[in-house]
Amino acid sequence: MNYPTPHIKAVPSDFGKTVLMPGDPLRSKYIADHFLENPVLVNNVRGVQGYTGTYKGVKVSVMASGMGMPSIGIYSRELFCAYGVENIMRIGSAGAIQPHINLKDIVMAMGASCDSNYQQQFHLMGNFAPICSFKMLHAATQSAEELGATYHVGNILSSDFFYDDDEGVPEALNAKKNWQKMGIMAIEMESAALYLNAARFRKNALCICTVSDQLVRNEFLTAEERQTGFEQMMQVALETAVKLEK
Ligand code: HPA
């Protein structure tokens, strides 16, 4: 793949080895402004802001993924294949579907189950299990312990549907309930595509999410609470990026 790519206008040296990926471009700017030292804007194609700066002396980048698997699929592939990025850590939000997982908890996706067709491009005669990088997960759990964050490690669901139409659907076919029975911790919309690209291109990926919605109890974070929950996840992500450099 040549660079610049269709969706990122930069050169490989513009990015650090590790890129943190929130979904929202404005969040990317917030992270750069509040957590990175000397942040420089390295991409702004389609307003998808990417910044590179340092954290505790380590070169770290942050760039938005947009929403959904097609979007993170494009950005992660371009970063892995054209810009020499080794580690991508998605830092998102998710809706918990297990009663013991509470608002503001962090979920770390060891595996990303999915209801999309993204993996069909790899022409596998079966189902690939998208999993995270153990090295990144290990560093992230260590960081969460050090920071005293409440976290859960397990399987999540990357779904194509934020709004799913279950009107008139019999109980036995309720997708959310059935994923819940399989022990899925929470639902988000990007990780499986990220993990599949990392597997295909021999790179490292991890998704950590703050629980913004408790879908069993219909509880939702306020905008202010989202921000505080998010700040703790950011600390975990940045400390993880530092550990990956060692
Ligand atoms: N579904 C999908 N993605 C999400 C949700 C959800 O309920 N909450 C936060 N991200």
Side-chain angles (χ1 to χ4, degrees), residues 64-241:
S65 68
M67 284 185 284
M69 283 175 269
S71 189
I72 199 166
I74 290 170
Y75 292 112
S76 61
R77 182 168 171 149
E78 292 184 10
L79 289 171
F80 282 150
C81 298
Y83 293 97
V85 169
E86 291 298 320
N87 314 310
I88 296 181
M89 196 181 333
R90 167 169 149 68
I91 40 174
S93 62
I97 57 170
Q98 298 294 337
H100 69 283
I101 300 182
N102 296 312
L103 290 175
K104 287 200 221 170
D105 287 2
I106 293 173
V107 290
M108 298 188 183
M110 185 156 63
S113 298
C114 114
D115 60 18
S116 95
N117 285 332
Y118 191 85
Q119 69 166 262
Q120 285 194 5
Q121 69 179 295
F122 301 110
H123 308 292
L124 304 165
M125 302 296 160
N127 298 308
F128 183 85
I131 55 170
C132 72
S133 145
F134 177 72
K135 185 175 154 193
M136 290 179 75
L137 178 62
H138 185 57
T141 55
Q142 272 186 329
S143 303
E145 298 278 347
E146 285 160 15
L147 291 159
T150 304
Y151 69 97
H152 310 266
V153 177
N155 207 340
I156 59 159
L157 172 67
S158 297
S159 177
D160 274 347
F161 317 107
F162 186 85
Y163 301 108
D164 45 353
D165 185 3
D166 49 15
E167 192 181 299
V169 173
E171 184 72 4
L173 298 180
N174 183 308
K176 210 174 280 167
K177 291 228 167 85
N178 290 333
W179 287 112
Q180 184 186 46
K181 283 187 209 162
M182 296 302 289
I184 294 292
M185 302 185 296
I187 309 176
E188 54 80 72
M189 306 184 76
E190 289 83 16
S191 301
L194 173 62
Y195 288 5
L196 285 158
N197 279 352
R200 171 67 182 84
F201 301 108
R202 300 290 194 279
K203 302 282 184 169
N204 311 302
L206 174 67
C207 164
I208 66 176
C209 288
T210 303
V211 173
S212 56
D213 312 304
Q214 216 307 341
L215 301 174
V216 182
R217 293 193 287 277
N218 279 328
E219 297 166 357
F220 307 95
L221 288 185
T222 62
E224 200 184 332
E225 286 168 333
R226 271 177 187 256
Q227 194 59 35
T228 22
F230 170 78
E231 307 254 331
Q232 187 179 48
M233 175 176 62
M234 271 317 305
Q235 295 290 351
V236 172
L238 287 162
E239 292 299 330
T240 302

